[in-house]
Amino acid sequence: MTALAQSKNHVIEVQGLTTQFGDVVIHDDLNINVHDGEILGVVGGSGTGKSVLMRAIIGLKRPSRGVVRVFGEDFYNVSKEVRLSIERRWGVLFQGGALFSSLTVAQNIMAPIREHLKIEEDLAKDMAALKISMVGLAAEAGAKYPSELSGGMKKRAGLARALALDPELVFLDEPTAGLDPIGAARFDELINYLKESLGLTVFMVTHDLDTLHATCDRVAVLAEKRVIACGPLDEVRRTDHPWVQEYFSGPRGRAALAAKAS
Amino acid sequence: MADSAAYFDTDIKDGILRLVARGDWRARSVGPIDSRLRDFADDSVGRDLVIDMAGVDRLDTTGAMMLQRTFFACDSRSSASKIVGANDAQRALMEQIQHHLAPCHIEPFHRNAFVAMLERLGQGVLDAYYAALELMSFIGATLATLWRVMTRPSHFRWTSTVHHMEEAGLDAIPIVGLMSFLIGAVVAFMGAKILRLFNADIFTVELVGIAVLREFGVLLSAILIAGRSGSAFTAQIGSMKIREEIDAMRVLGLDPMEVLVLPRVIALVIMLPVIAFIAAFLGVVGGALVADSVMDISIALFVARFEETIVINHFWAGIIKAPFFAFVIAVIGCFQGMEVEGSAESLGQRTTLSVVQALFLVIVIDAFFAMFYLEIDF
């Protein structure tokens, strides 16, 4: 009973995860939990498997060992129907937006709505308009094709599509990478705003120290094929690990801290 | 957690219209009530409205949007209109949503279909004109680069040229050979069937010899190489263009014409005659085997007749065309690769275009050669 109660407020539970490409082991016996309603930032050096971890959780990279539990269901060992119902409760923002290039932004947002919900076209249009406005895009942007959008607009449009079905859980892969500092700061605000108004749980892979400071409730550090530290930012910063020390106490880490303090 | 449905009732209490929402107002459950809610909003435009949300268990942005939409359709500014019964979280969500009710554009702007058609036609003609000009200039640049490299042979890329000779030439020989062998056999079958009617079986040798040596050997090789290597050139150079490798070459002082285009052109110009030779040979072999097996023309007779009637001119008439075809295929492949810009769609379009244009020009050049040979009696 206690196990059940515990898993209730863990939206994602990853236990003993091992993933590999051929003989190259990416994660070895990795554990990580995401609590209900929090923003968890996953950081780590290049090649530590941050994005692979995300792909393992959302079902794109089958782990060779370990359990991935999302909303309490063992994601890789459930029926197709259960899997689909889980997939409908999350939204994923890929690094480049991953918008369908043959559809306009509004049609991109309507694609999952049409696929999964039995609703009228008018309501689907209203929902698309709502999502476009919520992520801070202008109404005209709805009729644009992805190739006509800037990098920041693509990410916003991608986020709008991720939010199309009103998910409880959102995965963000490097949401601020490739944005200018102003655009990145606006995106941080957007994530905070959405989390507060919608009560989202967010799993975010990021490099961006400013984003960590601005948005994350907890931070998980990936190194040596596992999570070496996980907790509130101040706690993680004190971890005695060379990479963690260099990451948070390097010039950029200090600058981000100073920016936060001021 | 089973999904429950969304419900609403309307009544009039103390003379004010009231909408009582109950149940699960979320994206996955509000679908069935949307049109009824719209009808209600249309019927009550301008009236005072109280929305009672006390019975709403769950609310997400879609449900909140629908309630707000209805609220604003009625007279939301009236002091009698209000939303009651929402808990704190629901009230916060409702407040957020009221800023995001504007409709958005869904599809791009379309103009009159007839005007659009005329515009596309005009644009197509202009594009074809400019494409022809650019292709001319690209051919000129290729020849100029060739001249420059010939005067300074140290600039010639041996490794790259040999690599492309292997990839575009040697590797294509099995498939081209097989195809040509089969075509030679097919031509012989046709000859066997039709010439027999005139009791002229033996002319199958001339039919196969002339058709394969003059046309089929070289044309089939060119067509296959255009599909196989012309498109590969476009894809290779195009993907380098997308990854800015071409720009990087330019700023490093490397000439892409010299590094990328010339080795491919030279490799194909050298290899296509070789392939065409092998194709012609195997085509004749195919014809001879069919003649031997279906007709009374033994291999020895076929060879004797072949030596007697097929003059060497037929062979030259075919093989001379090969370098021209090769040049056109390679230049168009590289040209279209250089024209790729930005996206992967562009790469796909250009690759298709490269094959289509190369095939078209190969056939056109072949027709010119046919007329030319007729005039000079070759």
Side-chain angles (χ1 to χ4, degrees):
Chain A
M1 203 58 215
T2 42
L4 188 71
Q6 210 172 15
S7 66
K8 252 195 169 163
N9 49 26
H10 285 167
V11 177
I12 302 171
E13 280 182 283
V14 176
Q15 284 167 357
L17 180 84
T18 301
T19 53
Q20 53 195 78
F21 291 101
D23 290 339
V24 185
V25 177
I26 309 292
H27 304 122
D28 189 13
D29 199 18
L30 176 149
N31 299 304
I32 191 169
N33 293 322
V34 182
H35 305 306
D36 193 8
E38 73 169 349
I39 299 183
L40 176 76
V42 176
V43 300
S46 294
T48 48
K50 304 186 292 295
S51 293
V52 178
L53 175 61
M54 187 180 116
R55 293 174 71 85
I57 298 173
I58 60 180
L60 296 175
K61 166 76 187 139
R62 183 175 272 275
S64 41
R65 247 181 303 124
V67 180
V68 175
R69 226 174 247 127
V70 184
F71 300 121
E73 307 274 3
D74 183 353
F75 187 71
Y76 282 97
N77 293 306
V78 288
S79 67
K80 222 178 155 191
E81 288 74 33
V82 177
R83 210 174 146 145
L84 196 67
S85 76
I86 294 173
E87 283 167 349
R88 269 195 258 174
R89 291 169 66 188
W90 74 37
V92 182
L93 170 63
F94 289 96
Q95 205 170 344
L99 296 165
F100 304 127
S101 55
S102 57
L103 302 178
T104 65
V105 170
Q107 288 167 340
N108 258 287
I109 301 167
M110 286 159 71
I113 297 175
R114 281 182 181 149
E115 182 67 28
H116 289 303
L117 303 179
K118 276 182 233 141
I119 59 173
E120 312 258 333
E121 191 71 9
D122 282 342
L123 181 57
K125 283 180 181 169
D126 283 355
M127 287 171 75
L130 174 70
K131 299 299 172 341
I132 284 175
S133 172
M134 279 173 67
V135 298
L137 288 172
E140 296 83 51
K144 289 202 168 115
Y145 285 100
S147 57
E148 300 169 298
L149 301 179
S150 68
M153 287 167 83
K154 271 185 200 157
K155 297 222 166 173
R156 282 171 189 264
L159 184 60
R161 189 181 65 183
L163 296 174
L165 299 173
D166 274 302
E168 295 147 60
L169 169 64
V170 173
F171 294 89
L172 308 173
D173 191 1
E174 308 239 2
T176 54
L179 301 186
D180 64 77
I182 298 168
R186 293 228 177 96
F187 212 91
D188 293 344
E189 285 168 23
L190 175 64
I191 292 166
N192 279 333
Y193 161 72
L194 291 173
K195 181 213 163 195
E196 291 194 353
S197 53
L198 307 180
L200 291 176
T201 307
V202 180
F203 180 98
M204 171 161 56
V205 171
T206 188
H207 266 306
D208 191 330
L209 282 153
D210 293 310
T211 303
L212 284 185
H213 283 291
T215 61
C216 294
D217 300 311
R218 286 194 314 145
V219 175
V221 182
L222 244 60
E224 297 159 9
K225 299 173 186 171
R226 55 195 179 83
V227 176
I228 54 164
C230 184
L233 190 54
D234 292 326
E235 218 172 89
V236 169
R237 206 198 330 261
R238 286 195 297 271
T239 308
D240 189 24
H241 184 279
W243 191 85
V244 177
Q245 283 310 314
E246 198 162 350
Y247 184 68
F248 289 106
S249 308
R252 281 161 172 262
R254 286 202 306 272
L257 187 62
K260 164 100 175 187
S262 66
Chain B
M1 35 181 259
D3 289 353
S4 61
Y7 309 94
F8 73 92
D9 296 308
T10 56
D11 57 19
I12 294 177
K13 191 177 165 193
D14 306 333
I16 295 174
L17 196 58
R18 208 163 65 106
L19 185 148
V20 183
R22 286 181 295 116
D24 185 358
W25 281 66
R26 290 191 295 170
R28 65 193 74 155
S29 53
V30 291
I33 60 164
D34 182 51
S35 60
R36 204 155 68 82
L37 193 62
R38 274 178 208 273
D39 291 343
F40 168 74
D42 289 343
D43 292 343
S44 47
V45 171
R47 294 176 68 176
D48 294 342
L49 175 72
V50 172
I51 293 181
D52 184 352
M53 292 175 60
V56 175
D57 303 328
R58 291 163 173 277
L59 183 71
D60 70 5
T61 59
T62 306
M65 181 263 291
M66 287 170 63
L67 288 171
Q68 280 288 11
R69 188 186 68 195
T70 312
F71 186 62
F72 279 93
C74 300
D75 192 356
S76 60
R77 278 161 301 182
S78 155
S79 58
S81 294
K82 52 184 182 273
I83 297 175
V84 297
N87 64 30
D88 288 347
Q90 289 171 346
R91 192 174 309 116
L93 187 57
M94 294 290 280
E95 267 164 34
Q96 294 291 352
I97 292 303
Q98 65 178 351
H99 305 301
H100 301 302
L101 289 177
C104 81
H105 303 242
I106 308 283
E107 276 166 18
F109 172 71
H110 291 294
R111 70 180 73 203
N112 181 303
F114 183 68
V115 177
M117 190 195 77
L118 285 183
E119 188 189 316
R120 269 216 309 281
L121 182 68
Q123 195 65 52
V125 171
L126 270 185
D127 286 350
Y129 172 68
Y130 287 122
L133 275 190
E134 275 165 35
L135 183 60
M136 287 295 171
S137 105
F138 191 80
I139 292 174
T142 310
L143 292 175
T145 311
L146 178 65
W147 173 249
R148 208 173 55 241
V149 170
M150 275 163 68
T151 50
R152 281 180 299 170
S154 65
H155 281 238
F156 186 66
R157 314 277 156 165
W158 284 104
T159 320
S160 173
T161 308
V162 171
H163 169 75
H164 288 297
M165 283 170 73
E166 181 186 340
E167 206 176 63
L170 202 63
D171 294 351
I173 284 175
I175 180 73
V176 176
L178 177 66
M179 205 168 72
S180 189
F181 177 85
L182 293 174
I183 289 289
V186 169
V187 170
F189 268 121
M190 278 168 49
K193 198 159 166 48
I194 294 169
L195 293 174
R196 185 170 290 161
L197 296 176
F198 306 100
N199 231 353
D201 296 24
I202 194 66
F203 283 99
T204 305
V205 180
E206 276 97 321
L207 180 67
V208 169
I210 293 175
V212 169
L213 290 189
R214 287 188 84 104
E215 291 294 341
F216 284 143
V218 62
L219 202 57
L220 285 176
S221 309
I223 288 172
L224 207 105
I225 295 297
R228 191 180 176 279
S229 305
S231 58
F233 291 173
T234 308
Q236 287 159 359
I237 295 179
S239 58
M240 291 178 78
K241 188 94 191 285
I242 289 176
R243 290 193 298 257
E244 296 181 310
E245 289 176 49
I246 309 272
D247 295 337
M249 272 184 189
R250 287 215 173 92
V251 295
L252 289 171
L254 293 161
D255 181 5
M257 294 299 287
E258 193 180 295
V259 179
L260 299 176
V261 177
L262 207 58
R264 287 177 167 80
V265 173
I266 290 178
L268 219 53
V269 168
I270 294 174
M271 286 312 284
L272 192 61
V274 177
I275 297 170
F277 176 80
I278 294 171
F281 174 72
L282 285 170
V284 172
V285 168
L289 288 182
V290 168
D292 183 52
S293 59
V294 212
M295 289 179 276
D296 303 332
I297 305 171
S298 68
I299 301 283
L301 179 60
F302 190 97
V303 171
R305 175 84 185 170
F306 197 86
E307 274 180 331
E308 190 185 318
T309 58
I310 306 291
V311 289
I312 192 72
N313 278 359
H314 292 312
F315 168 72
W316 288 121
I319 218 78
I320 282 172
K321 294 187 275 190
F324 291 90
F325 291 169
F327 184 78
V328 164
I329 293 167
V331 164
I332 287 183
C334 296
F335 170 68
Q336 294 294 356
M338 289 289 194
E339 291 288 295
V340 168
E341 41 200 66
S343 61
E345 295 101 83
S346 162
L347 181 61
Q349 282 166 1
R350 290 289 169 184
T351 307
T352 313
L353 212 56
S354 148
V355 176
V356 172
Q357 281 187 354
L359 287 180
F360 172 73
L361 281 180
V362 161
I363 305 282
V364 167
I365 292 174
D366 193 49
F368 272 113
F369 267 106
M371 289 192 291
F372 179 65
Y373 289 154
L374 190 70
E375 288 300 316
I376 66 166
D377 230 352
F378 189 55

